[in-house]
Amino acid sequence: MKKTMVYAALFCAMTLGSCRQQAPAPAGDGAAEASRSDSAQGLDRCNVQVGSVGFTHALNGADSCATVGPGAVLRLNSRAKSDIFCDPNGKLTSSTLPILLTPVDNTKPFTFTAKVTPGFTDEGLYNAADLFVYANDTLWQKLCYEQDERGTHRVVTVRTRGTSDDNNHQQLDVPAVYLRLSSDAKTLASYYSFDKKEWYMVRLYENYYPAQIWVGLASQCPTAGVCTSFFEEISLEQKSVGDFRTGN
């Protein structure tokens, strides 16, 4: 097992440099973004199977940074300056984050869940493990377990519709947490849980995304070093939560 992980780490280290970077698209309003083609333009085809979920598309070479281990545990590496953000001031805009994606019919309900263990480090400002709803590089949302400016760990949501907002939510003192995105085709909500039984809502808004979208996973490293995050118990169900307030 240890030898396998060493080989996987060496492989990812060699391939991180080849992760393709994509220039950010000009920001636009939400209506314009929603009308853009929902094809896989800008995404590469891949085949990363994690348990029952198959990730068929990769942004910025995410498949070359992924290793699937025993027990359907996905390991994702990212190098320094790997981030996605559409800064309202234009100063911190980036679209370099490797993201694994799988298509979803957004005209139907879905729930995407994973247990995440981010690669928090002393120098890793904003290191995080992310769940994504993604339409294109200026129309997406991520739900993160992230390290903030004070070194504390928080649930964070970033909603991007032309430009990004950035909302820090609960501070947590655990190495891993369950994250969940759920939609009934009209409403999209974000949750976290410690035990996958009791869920806490952190965000809810209108599902204005186009009919064809992707959900996905990423390990972000916006500043320094390398961020290695682990994702377990990944599931994608064609149903929404029964109660949007409780997340169950």
Side-chain angles (χ1 to χ4, degrees):
M1 175 65 182
K2 290 183 178 179
K3 183 180 292 185
T4 300
M5 295 301 290
V6 168
Y7 287 151
L10 289 172
F11 175 76
C12 285
M14 290 186 292
T15 55
L16 279 171
S18 67
C19 292
R20 180 176 54 83
Q21 295 189 2
Q22 181 180 9
D29 60 39
E33 296 304 322
S35 67
R36 286 176 57 170
S37 171
D38 59 7
S39 70
Q41 184 177 3
L43 304 179
D44 294 324
R45 293 278 183 174
C46 70
N47 181 18
V48 178
Q49 188 72 34
V50 189
S52 63
V53 181
F55 294 94
T56 59
H57 292 78
L59 183 65
N60 296 321
D63 54 327
S64 70
C65 308
T67 305
V68 181
V73 177
L74 172 67
R75 172 188 174 125
L76 282 177
N77 283 348
S78 62
R79 61 185 180 184
K81 308 301 182 184
S82 295
D83 197 13
I84 184 168
F85 190 70
C86 298
D87 190 354
N89 293 321
K91 296 179 180 179
L92 301 175
T93 294
S94 176
S95 186
T96 58
L97 182 64
I99 311 173
L100 279 181
L101 298 163
T102 190
V104 168
D105 181 353
N106 194 37
T107 67
K108 299 177 181 179
F110 68 86
T111 298
F112 184 48
T113 305
K115 180 181 179 181
V116 306
T117 306
F120 294 138
T121 64
D122 290 341
E123 75 277 12
L125 179 61
Y126 305 129
N127 277 16
D130 309 330
L131 268 63
F132 270 86
V133 169
Y134 185 91
N136 57 62
D137 56 5
T138 56
L139 183 60
W140 49 267
Q141 188 219 309
K142 62 180 177 179
L143 170 63
C144 321
Y145 189 25
E146 182 176 287
Q147 182 168 309
D148 70 11
E149 297 86 349
R150 295 173 177 83
T152 56
H153 304 151
R154 294 183 177 276
V155 175
V156 174
T157 59
V158 179
R159 183 173 69 156
T160 297
R161 199 175 187 184
T163 58
S164 301
D165 66 24
D166 201 343
N167 287 317
N168 282 1
H169 302 282
Q170 282 74 8
Q171 179 179 331
L172 306 179
D173 188 22
V174 293
V177 68
Y178 290 92
L179 299 179
R180 168 170 285 178
L181 295 166
S182 186
S183 171
D184 63 357
K186 296 181 179 179
T187 300
L188 179 66
S190 302
Y191 306 89
Y192 75 92
S193 173
F194 299 109
D195 58 9
K196 208 177 179 182
K197 297 177 181 178
E198 187 172 16
W199 293 91
Y200 302 93
M201 185 182 72
V202 294
R203 189 162 201 159
L204 182 149
Y205 60 94
E206 177 191 2
N207 184 341
Y208 47 69
Y209 297 97
Q212 176 64 66
I213 59 170
W214 290 263
V215 296
L217 303 171
S219 176
Q220 69 182 45
C221 187
T223 57
V226 173
C227 182
T228 300
S229 298
F230 294 88
F231 300 83
E232 306 170 68
E233 300 179 50
I234 303 167
S235 66
L236 177 58
E237 302 174 278
Q238 296 303 308
K239 62 180 182 179
S240 67
V241 297
D243 185 326
F244 273 101
R245 292 295 160 180
T246 66
N248 288 307

